Amino acid sequence: MSKENFLEVRGLKKYFDAGRPALFSRESRFVHAVDDVSFNLRRSEVIALVGESGCGKSTLSLLLMGLEEPTEGTISFEGRDITHLNDKERKGLRRKIQMIFQDPYESLNPTQTIEEIINEPLLVHGIAPDKSERDERVKKAMEDAGLKPAEVYLYRFPHELSGGQRQRVVIAAALVLEPEILLADEPVSMLDVSIRAEIINLLAELRITRQIAVIFITHDLGSVGFFADRVAVMYLGRIVEIGTMLEVLEKPQHPYTKALLSVIPVPNPRLRRERIILQGETPNPIDVPSGCRFHPRCPVAISTCKHSDPPSITLSKTHQASCLLLVK
Amino acid sequence: MPGRPTVEKDRGEAQINPTKRTVLEVQNLSINYISEGKPPARAVENVSFTLKEGELIGLVGESGCGKTTLMLSLLRLLPSAGQIVDGKVFFNGKDLTTISEKELNKIRWKEISIVFQGAMNALNPVRTVGDQIAEAITKHMPDFPKDKIQGRVIELLDLVGIAADHKEHYPHQYSGGMRQRAMIAMALACNPQVIIADEPTTALDVMIQAQILELLDNLRKKLGLAIVFVTHDLGVVAEICDKVLVMYGGVTAEYADVDTIYNSARHPYTQELLKAFPDLTKPKKKLSSIPGYPPRLDALPDGCRFAPRCPVAIARCHTEQPMLHKLGDMHIASCHLVEASK
Ligand SMILES: Nc1ncnc2c1ncn2[C@@H]1O[C@H](COP(=O)(O)OP(=O)(O)OP(=O)(O)O)[C@@H](O)[C@H]1O
Ligand SMILES: Nc1ncnc2c1ncn2[C@@H]1O[C@H](COP(=O)(O)OP(=O)(O)OP(=O)(O)O)[C@@H](O)[C@H]1O
Ligand SMILES: [Mg+2]
Ligand SMILES: [Mg+2]
């Protein structure tokens, strides 16, 4: 199988019904949460998906998990169309695609021990009916997630662990099914800086030891640096720039990427630099601006940006961005 | 090119200015949490700092290191278990730890006000934001003329960059960034001299964080406010602070002007924190983390509180608590190794 068609996403859209604006309006309105997204993920590749709050990152990952039904577009995995599956097919696939949800603390049941939490996915999927085999897998997942030695943590409850350790439990519970893709939705945003580095290093190790592909979702471009192969920047439901990590960090082409990069805090006052602080917030995805969806906040927009939606411009074999200013 | 930091001349200078008036001076403050049948938890021990007019100090440290405890104690707002056991807090020469409640009430909100950690999520969901700001005005200033209140609400919203027509909206119609702005507007209601902002950007994304930092920076320039900015993120404060207090497990690790902290830190904890930061100028570099976890207050180590995690600890560090060593006019670090090299 070619590396290219491991996970392929084409023209993916998710519009949520936002109801009618007024009682007698004919048409209901839609939240354009994900609006025409296409990309490939290769085996054991790490893609960072970056963008402001509300740009559709979590919705995109829920679509990939099959937890939301797409409005349009296709998702295929290992050459097979997985856009619409029945429950049984979906369950089989879930072993291969696992997700770490955005609020890890809420996803840990406080009345279960760590052992029970990590064992649960095996029971749900009826994997390893033999108890000793399950114990073995739980232990391995924990140690791979850095909860070493596993015995120390097995019978503790979530509140008896630190924030970083709890995040490791969440990761272990995802690893125990031995997935091929891990969707990590803001896995470090809530953590202290010192623990953040630890969890990122852990994910970086896993993709080497377990050959796992990772989609790492974050609003902070600064935290993806060394371990992402590629970076996709999302704005209002769409990927506006995608490229290798170095292309995006060192030669960003989209004005939105440039702004996101400029506001990453630099821990040195001597390197204080000009920050491009976009005013306001991401516009409401119910009323997506005309033309280029970024134009109302864009510091370099020209008049044509109001009317024409920029195509994706190829800048190199691996680098694309959607901006009219890049059209030669 | 934005990917590479460039030095920007007009924003680089820290505002440390010896001629400015000191507004807040915290001296050797210690706070315990008392609970029955247990030894007191020494949540904050021997912390000092000063804040001058228009100055912005960053208070930085990991979760649980005592930042909120320290800030609440300044206005004696601690829960009843929390007790100031030592130290003084001078505000314009008055010791806030000893004055009467009545006198302190003239200072709370009117002279020093706090944007509480997580408060933006505690706005009353069934009342408009404008109403809640108006209530803050009448509550803290009962004599404020009734007919001027709505005008004042609009003025405050304008100060924090919220258009007047949002006054009538409910909290759920506000984004996270706007709710935080509204909290700052409330803190400004009585024209205080000092604002304490406890983790005001922690739950926000980087662009909104940059907006809030810009807002605070503008407010201090425009209103001459002195600001204490509490955060667990050392990178955030590098952007706007004049000086930084790094706390670890309830004690001062290091205290210095912003340039010293980021370019010649002497405490191993500060140094390790800086290394844990992603450096965009070296995107391929592996991040370094600080193994281990902060001390539990009910099981503090005998020696330096950081020793169990410190990469350069020597035998003495495990048995003897380091003192605060003065390394310069505006530089303090609590580490035995600093003393040895002095
Ligand atoms: N079930 C839903 N019904 C209606 N709108 C929704 C639903 N889920 C998400 N949305 C909207 O879709 C948009 C994208 O939301 P999403 O949660 O995917 O963003 P995000 O990028 O993950 O944001 P954050 O960084 O805050 O987590 C938002 O405007 C959100 O309000
Ligand atoms: N009411 C209380 N009774 C007993 N201990 C407390 C109480 N409140 C806080 N503590 C303890 O005091 C220490 C300092 O807590 P504090 O909230 O000041 O930390 P912080 O630095 O603000 O942390 P964070 O970054 O998570 O907000 C912690 O160990 C905490 O568990
Ligand atoms: Mg999300
Ligand atoms: Mg706190």
Side-chain angles (χ1 to χ4, degrees):
Chain A
M1 185 187 51
S2 115
K3 265 189 140 186
E4 293 296 332
N5 58 15
F6 181 55
L7 183 77
E8 276 187 273
V9 175
R10 287 286 160 270
L12 202 60
K13 292 185 185 173
K14 178 68 192 181
Y15 296 169
F16 292 105
D17 194 337
R20 292 172 198 191
L23 194 54
F24 298 107
S25 313
R26 218 180 274 152
E27 300 194 356
S28 74
R29 306 190 305 164
F30 292 97
V31 178
H32 302 76
V34 170
D35 200 3
D36 198 1
V37 163
S38 305
F39 67 96
N40 291 339
L41 175 74
R42 297 186 198 96
R43 200 175 280 282
S44 83
E45 182 183 35
V46 177
I47 291 189
L49 187 65
V50 189
E52 275 166 288
S53 187
C55 72
K57 307 179 296 290
S58 294
T59 305
L60 178 58
S61 56
L62 295 176
L63 289 169
L64 298 178
M65 285 292 289
L67 294 172
E68 289 282 2
E69 190 72 10
T71 308
E72 234 178 78
T74 59
I75 307 166
S76 55
F77 178 64
E78 295 181 324
R80 165 172 163 237
D81 188 337
I82 60 159
T83 322
H84 307 282
L85 297 178
N86 64 32
D87 288 352
K88 186 154 166 269
E89 292 167 320
R90 182 63 67 197
K91 200 167 148 191
L93 190 70
R94 193 141 306 147
R95 290 173 54 182
K96 299 196 170 180
I97 308 180
Q98 276 288 310
M99 176 158 179
I100 300 172
F101 289 92
Q102 190 159 355
D103 287 311
Y105 297 164
E106 284 168 29
S107 61
L108 290 180
N109 181 342
T111 64
Q112 285 187 316
T113 63
I114 304 311
E115 193 257 344
E116 286 166 340
I117 291 170
I118 301 172
N119 202 6
E120 186 159 293
L122 294 176
L123 294 174
V124 169
H125 285 270
I127 295 169
D130 183 37
K131 171 134 188 356
S132 67
E133 196 188 331
R134 278 204 308 272
D135 289 348
E136 207 44 50
R137 279 180 76 152
V138 167
K139 215 177 124 198
K140 176 152 193 310
M142 286 176 71
E143 302 208 330
D144 279 358
L147 294 165
K148 273 189 266 204
E151 289 76 23
V152 174
Y153 303 98
L154 275 173
Y155 304 108
R156 290 200 193 170
F157 290 92
H159 73 265
E160 295 173 299
L161 300 181
S162 71
Q165 288 168 336
R166 272 183 292 205
Q167 188 61 298
R168 286 168 183 271
V169 171
V170 176
I171 294 174
L175 288 180
V176 75
L177 292 172
E178 304 188 343
E180 291 171 25
I181 299 179
L182 191 60
L183 300 172
D185 193 356
E186 307 264 12
V188 297
S189 307
M190 305 289 288
L191 301 174
D192 272 331
V193 180
S194 62
I195 309 171
R196 233 183 257 183
E198 182 186 311
I199 297 294
I200 291 177
N201 288 341
L202 169 66
L203 290 172
E205 243 169 67
L206 286 173
R207 58 89 63 100
I208 295 166
T209 54
R210 288 208 177 200
Q211 301 277 301
I212 294 182
V214 182
I215 298 183
F216 183 93
I217 297 176
T218 176
H219 62 81
D220 179 11
L221 251 178
S223 68
V224 301
F226 90 100
F227 97 112
D229 299 303
R230 287 193 293 152
V231 178
V233 179
M234 219 170 150
Y235 187 78
L236 215 53
R238 209 173 267 182
I239 292 177
V240 295
E241 178 157 7
I242 187 167
T244 64
M245 186 258 289
L246 287 179
E247 281 169 337
V248 174
L249 294 190
E250 301 201 330
K251 289 179 289 198
Q253 296 299 312
H254 197 285
Y256 180 60
T257 313
K258 290 180 189 175
L260 272 189
L261 272 168
S262 81
V263 295
I264 297 169
V266 179
N268 192 338
R270 290 188 193 167
L271 299 177
R272 282 180 189 178
R273 60 200 165 140
E274 194 179 2
R275 289 180 295 173
I276 308 164
I277 302 177
L278 300 176
Q279 296 309 313
E281 332 237 336
T282 319
N284 184 337
I286 293 178
D287 302 306
V288 175
S290 65
C292 170
R293 55 192 61 208
F294 183 55
H295 87 259
R297 294 172 84 200
C298 181
V300 293
I302 52 176
S303 61
T304 40
C305 300
K306 283 198 191 101
H307 320 295
S308 47
D309 197 1
S312 171
I313 309 290
T314 299
L315 303 155
S316 82
K317 230 175 102 192
T318 48
H319 194 181
Q320 288 103 37
S322 308
C323 174
L324 290 174
L325 297 177
L326 299 171
V327 179
K328 292 267 154 56
Chain B
M1 200 203 316
R4 298 278 189 193
T6 51
V7 182
E8 195 191 346
K9 293 276 166 357
D10 59 344
R11 215 164 61 85
E13 291 302 305
Q15 313 264 315
I16 303 223
N17 178 345
T19 64
K20 280 199 178 150
R21 192 171 57 89
T22 297
V23 285
L24 190 65
E25 180 158 6
V26 174
Q27 290 179 353
N28 312 93
L29 202 60
S30 298
I31 299 143
N32 287 353
Y33 282 109
I34 318 275
S35 54
E36 233 178 290
K38 283 191 192 158
R42 285 143 61 201
V44 171
E45 203 159 77
N46 197 16
V47 173
S48 308
F49 67 88
T50 57
L51 186 65
K52 296 188 168 171
E53 277 178 308
E55 216 172 46
L56 208 156
I57 185 173
L59 175 62
V60 188
E62 277 167 283
S63 183
C65 75
K67 305 181 294 293
T68 299
T69 303
L70 176 60
M71 290 305 114
L72 294 178
S73 75
L74 301 181
L75 288 177
R76 301 199 335 230
L77 292 170
L78 286 167
S80 60
Q83 293 180 5
I84 298 178
V85 289
D86 198 10
K88 295 185 185 321
V89 177
F90 288 107
F91 173 73
N92 290 339
K94 262 188 215 144
D95 181 2
L96 305 187
T97 64
T98 57
I99 61 174
S100 67
E101 268 299 297
K102 192 163 159 242
E103 250 184 297
L104 193 56
N105 272 333
K106 291 187 197 142
I107 290 173
R108 291 181 184 139
W109 314 121
K110 297 170 194 83
E111 306 288 354
I112 304 177
S113 74
I114 303 189
V115 179
F116 292 102
Q117 181 169 12
M120 62 184 242
N121 300 320
L123 281 163
N124 185 340
V126 299
R127 300 190 47 212
T128 66
V129 174
D131 269 0
Q132 297 185 56
I133 296 176
E135 187 188 271
I137 298 171
T138 42
K139 191 168 151 208
H140 305 313
M141 296 183 290
D143 299 334
F144 198 89
K146 294 274 170 292
D147 56 325
K148 299 231 164 68
I149 290 179
Q150 287 311 313
R152 178 65 179 155
V153 170
I154 291 171
E155 195 177 278
L156 287 167
L157 286 174
D158 180 59
L159 211 50
V160 298
I162 297 179
D165 51 333
H166 291 294
K167 185 162 76 82
E168 307 304 332
H169 289 171
Y170 292 88
H172 75 267
Q173 293 168 295
Y174 273 46
S175 65
M178 282 169 74
R179 284 202 295 265
Q180 194 57 273
R181 285 171 191 268
M183 296 317 299
I184 295 171
M186 257 184 238
L188 292 172
C190 315
N191 281 320
Q193 296 180 40
V194 179
I195 291 242
I196 296 169
D198 194 353
E199 309 243 13
T201 63
T202 301
L204 304 173
D205 76 38
V206 281
M207 190 60 72
I208 308 302
Q209 168 170 293
Q211 291 176 2
I212 299 286
L213 291 176
E214 189 185 39
L215 169 67
L216 290 173
D217 203 23
N218 287 341
L219 285 174
R220 71 154 160 170
K221 283 178 189 141
K222 197 146 84 188
L223 309 174
L225 277 179
I227 300 176
V228 183
F229 189 99
V230 179
T231 174
H232 65 264
D233 190 336
L234 204 49
V236 171
V237 295
E239 294 285 346
I240 55 166
C241 288
D242 306 312
K243 50 190 182 190
V244 180
L245 172 64
V246 180
M247 280 180 75
Y248 183 82
V251 300
T252 303
E254 193 154 6
Y255 173 53
D257 62 274
V258 71
D259 189 67
T260 304
I261 288 287
Y262 293 91
N263 292 298
S264 24
R266 297 289 299 280
H267 197 287
Y269 179 59
T270 317
Q271 293 168 346
E272 291 302 307
L273 267 187
L274 285 168
K275 277 193 242 162
F277 244 92
D279 181 349
L280 275 192
T281 58
K282 303 182 195 81
K284 293 241 163 180
K285 204 176 117 217
K286 191 170 178 231
L287 300 176
S288 97
S289 63
I290 309 176
Y293 299 98
R296 292 167 55 151
L297 295 179
D298 54 1
L300 286 174
D302 290 334
C304 168
R305 294 188 184 191
F306 185 56
R309 297 171 79 188
C310 181
V312 292
I314 53 175
R316 182 182 173 199
C317 303
H318 295 284
T319 55
E320 192 187 323
Q321 269 192 46
M323 302 198 317
L324 293 170
H325 297 290
K326 203 165 160 57
L327 297 164
D329 264 355
M330 227 326 277
H331 191 185
I332 286 172
S334 63
C335 174
H336 290 309
L337 298 172
V338 162
E339 179 190 34
S341 67
K342 231 179 3 186

